[in-house]
Every structure is written in C-alpha cells, then in structure tokens.
Amino acid sequence: MPEPVDSLERKLSSPATTPSCSRRRLSVLDWVRLALLLAGLLCVLTGLLPRAEAAANMRRIGPLLLFLGSVIVLAELTRQAKVFDVIAHRLAILGRGYYPALFFLCVLFASATTILLNLDTTAVLITPVMLALAAPARIPPLPLAMTTLWLANTASLLLPVSNLTNLLAADRVALTATGFAARMWAPQLVSLAATMVCLWVWYWRRGRRATERYVPPEPIRPENFRERALMGTTAGACLLFILAIPVVGDRIGIAATLAAAIAVLAFAVFDRRALRLSLIPWQLLVFVVGLFLVVPTLSRFGLADLMHALIGTDAGAAGAYRAAAAGAALANVANNLPAYTAGEAVVPAANQNQLLALLIGTNIGPIVTPWASLATLLCLEFCRTHHVHVPRSRFLLTGLVLAAVATTGSVTTLLLVG
C-alpha cells in the first residue's frame, strides 16, 4: 500500500534515529502530498466536489486513518526498542549459515510483518533492518532487499489490517476480519508460493550468490533494565494488537490506538526523548485525505467512465480477471491506492468477487515499476542509501513475471475456493 511513516529523510539516511535528520527540510515527495491535499481542498471549495460527498468520504476514512496512524506509531516505537533487530538476528542465527533455511525464515518474517502489522512496517522498518544484517553475516544484500520489497506487496492480502486497500474493500463488502480472511486465505497462499519460487530462482539460488554459506551473526541482547523494559513492553503491545484483530471487528482503529498508547507510555517512562511529533505519520494522513478528495472529483469528470470501460460490471470470472488486470496495470502506471479507489467506484457492491479481484491486482501487481506503490518506492530508496545495486531490467522483468503469475493464480483461486 502507498504510504510512508515518520520523516522520510530520517528513515532513508539510516536505520537508526538521529535528531539532526529529523529536522531536515521537506522532501519532494512531501511537497507532492501537500499539493495533493491542497488540490483536494480546492475541489471542495470550488464546488467541483460537492461538500456532502466530501464529508461522506471523510467519515468513511476517519477510522482508517486512526488505525494507520496508530499502528505506524506502534511499529516505529517497536523498532526503536530493537525488537525487529533482535528478531532478524535470531532468524539468521537459527539458519546456522544455510541459505535455504535463512530464505524460509526471512520469508516468514517479512510475510508475518506485512500481514499482521501493515505493509508499510515491512517497507520502512524491516527493510533497513535486513540490509543492516547483511554486512555482519556476510549475506548478499540484494536477496534480502527483494524479499522485503516483494513480500511487502504480495503478502498483503490476508487481513484488513495488512493494507489500506484491504480496509476499504472489507468496508465496501461488509466483511469482518475473520470473514475477510476466510475469502482471502487461499489467494494469499498462492501469492506467497509464487513469490517464494520467483525469489529463489532469480535471487536466492546458488548461482545468484557468491558463497555456499553465510556467517551467523552475534545475537542482540538488551544491555540494561531500561532496554529490557522497552523491548518487552513494545513487543507485548504488538502481540496484544495482533491477538485483538479477530475479535474487535470494525473497531480495529481503537485496538491499534490502545496498543500504541502502551508503547508510548513505556517510552514516556524509560526514554522520553524518543517521543516526538515526527512519530505521527502526517505524510500518510495528508496523502490519503487528499486522495479521497481528488479521485472522487476526477471520477465526476471522466475517470469513472474510463474505469468502467476497463473493468466493466461482469460479476462472473471474466469480470474478475478484467478488474485484476486493470488494477495491476493502473497501479504500475500511477500508484496502487488511486488505482483501487478509482476502480472501486465503478464496481457494483454486489459483485464481491470482482471487487476482491480488483484488490488482488492492486495489492500484488505494484512490483513492476518503482512508483507503483510507495512500499516499492521506499524499499528501492533504502537499497540506494545502503549502496545495494538493483539491476533495472532484472527488476522490471522479474517483477512483471511475478505480478502476472501471482495475480492470475490468486484470482483463479479466489473464484475456485469462494
């Protein structure tokens, strides 16, 4: 899903938090988000978007913004408590120097993080942790980078919390977390299987790395009571949030807020300096609000007709494949969240399979072009700042094959199992 956390420059400079970086000027991407919000407000003020429709859109995304803001604060504080670093090092130790074991453990780590804590957690917090692990363990960094990049997208189907688009789709078709998972577990398994095969063949197998084995790193251990308290409390808050997902229904924003409050309270007691306003992901909030004002306006002036022509209203298999293909293609041309929101507007609410197929296309598909999702963009930016070369032609071609295979397989499974 396409939304960052915290200050982008602070994130991209280093996995560690540095106060000097947090005071840097706004990035080009930040200015684009602000411009999108301004354009949305102008649409409302000029009457291009009726105020009643704008208010209805804001009421719809209000709980989603509460969830996203809270879960990202929770994930960021968990990262600062070194929980993710500890897990990554422990996984490398468990692999005992064997690449096949490390491969399965890294896939499990990135998939679980994406599914349970949102794809942005994987893109923004797990990617630098994995790249930082490469040097001490003497692991080629490109396989680690591609694992987090692809799984941040392809592992985001199972739960509403995994992606903003999932939250929107679950709301549209009135599915609870368990109901959503019941429809999407089989497509998610197919997507993960396709991703694992492509990762191993193109990035992890023996011919793609220089050595037969890697060097297991030393474990990371808390040095004092303060670090142990922060690590235990934030990990416990994440666990409580994960356990609450199946039972809280549409109150997932409240559950995320309570979990984030536990983490904030722990840092207020043990490390108050880490609590800054920059923890609040204002870039995400600005982007989503602007998007839900601009896209409905464009839909009133021709975008809806275009999307209707591309997707159609066929409730059968043909309509599902058309929706998935259109969603994946538009995501790689523009971005996955606008592609989903524009497509959702023309899919009849009764066409549940068609809507879920559109969701599959916009979740799995954005791995071909660097701008297709912000998760993809941020992972590639981390590669640049860590001096990890990603061959462009290889990235495009392997992403295209995976997007086509995983999207087609997942939609087919959705239709067969559903």
Side-chain angles (χ1 to χ4, degrees):
M1 178 197 119
E3 52 274 4
V5 303
D6 210 343
S7 169
L8 181 59
E9 295 84 352
R10 180 171 64 83
K11 294 293 185 189
L12 300 182
S13 61
S14 168
T17 300
T18 55
S20 59
C21 292
S22 65
R23 292 192 294 267
R24 289 185 182 180
R25 293 179 298 175
L26 296 178
S27 69
V28 173
L29 198 55
D30 293 335
W31 284 113
V32 170
R33 297 186 188 99
L34 290 171
L36 182 67
L37 176 62
L38 179 60
L41 294 175
L42 288 175
C43 290
V44 177
L45 292 175
T46 58
L48 294 175
L49 181 66
R51 295 190 178 186
E53 184 176 347
N57 287 338
M58 293 304 100
R59 285 192 297 270
R60 182 188 181 195
I61 66 172
L64 310 184
L65 294 178
L66 176 65
F67 159 73
L68 288 170
S70 299
V71 80
I72 289 173
V73 170
L74 171 64
E76 167 61 11
L77 291 177
T78 303
R79 183 195 68 83
Q80 291 192 34
K82 298 184 180 179
V83 173
F84 296 135
D85 298 81
V86 169
I87 294 174
H89 278 68
R90 287 292 179 183
L91 293 179
I93 293 169
L94 284 174
R96 298 189 176 187
Y98 295 98
Y99 275 101
L102 179 66
F103 170 69
F104 282 104
L105 291 169
C106 287
V107 168
L108 177 64
F109 183 31
S111 299
T113 304
T114 299
I115 290 170
L116 299 172
L117 289 178
N118 191 270
L119 82 167
D120 294 306
T121 300
T122 300
V124 179
L125 303 180
I126 303 303
T127 303
V129 168
M130 298 298 281
L131 293 178
L133 174 66
R138 301 178 188 175
I139 301 170
L142 183 59
L144 296 173
M146 292 304 301
T147 300
T148 57
L149 188 154
W150 276 358
L151 288 171
N153 293 282
T154 62
S156 65
L157 292 177
L158 184 59
L159 296 176
V161 300
S162 306
N163 201 328
L164 174 60
T165 52
N166 296 5
L167 289 165
L168 295 170
D171 176 68
R172 179 72 182 276
V173 296
L175 287 174
T176 63
T178 52
F180 189 90
R183 291 303 316 276
M184 301 302 285
W185 69 267
Q188 180 66 92
L189 286 180
V190 171
S191 176
L192 288 176
T195 305
M196 291 176 67
V197 171
C198 292
L199 279 171
W200 183 260
V201 170
W202 287 318
Y203 293 99
W204 279 85
R205 63 184 172 87
R206 180 65 177 88
R208 295 295 184 180
R209 46 185 165 80
T211 60
E212 185 66 31
R213 299 187 63 182
Y214 66 92
V215 180
E218 292 295 322
I220 295 178
R221 295 186 177 92
E223 298 180 356
N224 50 50
F225 173 76
R226 181 186 67 83
E227 290 189 1
R228 287 193 296 272
L230 287 175
M231 190 176 297
T233 305
T234 54
C238 288
L239 182 60
L240 287 174
F241 169 69
I242 292 167
L243 294 175
I245 291 173
V247 298
V248 296
D250 58 2
R251 296 184 296 276
I252 191 67
I254 297 175
T257 301
L258 291 175
I262 294 173
V264 169
L265 181 60
F267 271 86
V269 174
F270 295 105
D271 188 8
R272 188 169 299 179
R273 292 175 300 175
L275 299 178
R276 301 176 305 277
L277 287 177
S278 58
L279 285 171
I280 300 173
W282 66 265
Q283 299 99 326
L284 165 64
L285 307 182
V286 163
F287 175 77
V288 175
V289 171
L291 187 68
F292 275 81
L293 295 176
V294 170
V295 171
T297 305
L298 295 177
S299 295
R300 294 172 58 85
F301 292 92
L303 180 60
D305 295 333
L306 173 62
M307 296 303 297
H308 189 275
L310 291 173
I311 295 176
T313 57
D314 185 353
Y321 286 115
R322 278 182 66 180
L330 289 172
N332 284 287
V333 170
N335 186 269
N336 67 331
L337 186 53
Y340 174 79
T341 54
E344 181 197 63
V346 302
V347 175
N351 294 7
Q352 188 177 94
N353 281 344
Q354 190 180 29
L355 184 68
L356 294 178
L358 171 68
L359 179 70
I360 289 172
T362 54
N363 280 19
I364 297 176
I367 53 174
V368 182
T369 59
W371 54 82
S373 76
L374 200 54
T376 300
L377 180 64
L378 288 171
C379 287
L380 288 174
E381 184 62 18
F382 278 119
C383 290
R384 184 186 66 81
T385 57
H386 284 79
H387 308 290
V388 178
H389 175 62
V390 181
R392 292 185 180 180
S393 58
R394 187 174 165 196
F395 173 82
L396 189 152
L397 292 175
T398 58
L400 181 62
V401 173
L402 175 58
V405 171
T407 300
T408 303
S410 296
V411 173
T412 301
T413 306
L414 173 75
L415 297 174
L416 291 176
V417 176

